[in-house]
Amino acid sequence: MVLDVNRYKNKVKKNTPRFNMVPFIDVVFTILIFLMVTSSFGAAADQTQSTSGKPQVTQSSGTSEYYLVPVAGLKKVTVNGQDMSSYIRNGAIAVHTKVIDEGEIVIKAKNGEIIITTPQGFPTNKAVKAPS
């Protein structure tokens, strides 16, 4: 039996391989989405920031002495263990800038509660007020 090599070569040259791009694109996008979701770009970019959760304020913008802290469903505000819920207006309370900068504010959104600890020597009655 004789093999016709030329016929086989011609057949191979005519049949070009086909590559289906649809599954390839699906796999590439799946890998891309996985990498984007699992990566932490912000933490890798700047390791010098504080991890306390407070924003680092470099400039003071505005002349306001109190800043509005809105919380959906706010029901209770406690300052140094003293209940100040009477100052809540429309789910928000005004907090003194010194308390924001130097004190501690814990917001429990699920309970609708804010717990504030003022800096040492700061009067409790000036820490919060009703928003105007």
Side-chain angles (χ1 to χ4, degrees):
M1 177 174 188
V2 178
L3 291 174
D4 189 5
V5 178
N6 288 331
R7 194 173 92 182
Y8 179 73
K9 283 182 182 179
N10 290 337
K11 190 187 274 188
V12 169
K13 286 181 183 177
K14 288 179 186 176
N15 290 338
T16 58
R18 295 186 183 171
F19 187 68
N20 192 355
M21 292 295 291
V22 175
F24 177 74
I25 292 172
D26 289 344
V27 170
V28 168
F29 278 119
T30 303
I31 292 172
L32 180 67
I33 290 169
F34 173 78
L35 292 175
M36 288 176 62
V37 169
T38 59
S39 297
S40 56
F41 297 111
D46 191 11
Q47 295 290 332
T48 61
Q49 287 187 346
S50 171
T51 58
S52 67
K54 283 187 178 180
Q56 298 296 322
V57 180
T58 56
Q59 289 183 344
S60 174
S61 60
T63 58
S64 181
E65 192 175 3
Y66 288 88
Y67 286 99
L68 190 67
V69 178
V71 175
L74 183 60
K75 299 173 195 149
K76 185 175 182 183
V77 175
T78 308
V79 179
N80 294 339
Q82 184 178 353
D83 187 24
M84 298 282 200
S85 300
S86 61
Y87 292 117
I88 298 172
R89 299 287 184 272
N90 296 326
I93 191 149
V95 181
H96 197 277
T97 55
K98 187 169 182 174
V99 174
I100 293 173
D101 291 340
E102 299 173 18
E104 181 180 356
I105 301 174
V106 178
I107 300 174
K108 297 181 178 179
K110 289 183 180 179
N111 302 340
E113 183 179 1
I114 297 178
I115 301 169
I116 298 172
T117 306
T118 60
Q120 192 149 14
F122 194 81
T124 304
N125 60 348
K126 285 186 71 179
V128 296
K129 74 172 192 174
S132 53

